[in-house]
Amino acid sequence: MTMLQERLDDGELLLWEPQLPGDSCGRVLFLTKEINDEFDPDVWTDPNVALRYANLEADFDRYVSGWTVPVGLEPYSKGDNAFMARIDPIEYGMWAIRSVAPKPALRVFGAFYQRDVFVALLTRCRKDLGGPGSREWANAREAAIAKWDCLFPSRKRLFGDELNVYFSEKALTV
C-alpha cells in the first residue's frame, strides 16, 4: 500500500473529484482534510466566501479536468496568468496554485508527489502573505513543508528543472 493510499484510508487526504466533466487528463489532486473543510458553507461567516470558494473549486477542476495549465517555473519572473508557480527556494519543491479571482486571491500551497499528482496542503489569502521574500511567505512555505513531512515522513517532494518532470501534458511555461 502506498503512502498516498494510507493517507486516503485514514482520512488525512481526500481525492478531488471535478464538479464538471472535462477532457480526459491524467492529473490528480489530493487535498488535506483542512482544505476540504474550508469548502463547508457552515464555517463561512461572510457571504462573499461562497463565491470565492466556488471559484477555487473551478480552479481545482481546471487542474484535474484537462485544461492547459500556465506554469511559472521561476518564482519571481512568471507571467501574471500563471495558474501554478514554484515557490522560492525552488529546491524545496514547493508550489502554489494561484486562485486569483475574485478578490481576495488565494494561494494553495502544496507539492508534487509524482508527475501529474499534486498534494494541496494549506491555503492562505494572498493579501496576508506580504511581498516576495517576506516572513509571511516563508512561514506559509514552512508550514506546508511540515504538513508534507507529517503526511509523508520518508518521501521527498518531486523536484526538477523541466516542466515535463511535473506535467505529462497540457502545461506551458509562462
Side-chain angles (χ1 to χ4, degrees):
M1 180 180 296
T2 69
M3 282 188 276
L4 267 176
Q5 188 61 53
E6 290 172 10
R7 298 297 78 82
L8 283 168
D9 291 346
D10 65 21
E12 291 186 60
L13 289 178
L14 294 102
L15 177 65
W16 181 260
E17 298 287 348
Q19 308 304 302
L20 299 172
D23 295 338
S24 175
C25 180
R27 293 192 294 248
V28 178
L29 175 65
F30 293 97
L31 310 179
T32 58
K33 182 180 181 324
E34 293 80 6
I35 293 175
N36 191 66
D37 289 348
E38 292 174 22
F39 287 93
D40 180 358
D42 293 335
V43 302
W44 301 336
T45 57
D46 179 348
N48 293 322
V49 175
L51 177 60
R52 183 72 212 78
Y53 276 87
N55 280 278
L56 183 57
E57 284 181 347
D59 288 334
F60 287 169
D61 284 356
R62 180 180 183 185
Y63 176 78
V64 299
S65 295
W67 291 38
T68 297
V69 176
V71 176
L73 290 177
E74 298 300 324
Y76 302 118
S77 61
K78 62 190 166 296
D80 289 342
N81 65 330
F83 171 76
M84 295 181 81
R86 292 199 291 188
I87 298 171
D88 188 42
I90 59 175
E91 60 270 13
Y92 287 13
M94 296 305 300
W95 288 73
I97 293 175
R98 305 171 76 237
S99 185
V100 298
K103 301 280 186 203
L106 297 174
R107 296 298 183 265
V108 180
F109 288 74
F112 283 89
Y113 187 86
Q114 65 191 41
R115 186 185 207 189
D116 294 323
V117 177
F118 189 77
V119 179
L121 300 164
L122 60 92
T123 61
R124 294 290 186 268
C125 281
R126 174 60 186 93
K127 65 182 174 59
D128 297 335
L129 291 172
S134 71
R135 172 59 30 213
E136 293 84 359
W137 269 102
N139 289 345
R141 180 194 65 228
E142 294 306 314
I145 289 170
K147 183 64 132 172
W148 177 277
D149 290 344
C150 284
L151 291 168
F152 311 112
S154 60
R155 178 137 185 138
K156 293 185 180 199
R157 295 171 294 281
L158 187 63
F159 176 75
D161 291 326
E162 302 295 325
L163 192 61
N164 65 6
V165 170
Y166 304 100
F167 298 92
S168 61
E169 63 177 335
K170 297 186 177 181
L172 58 97
T173 303
V174 294

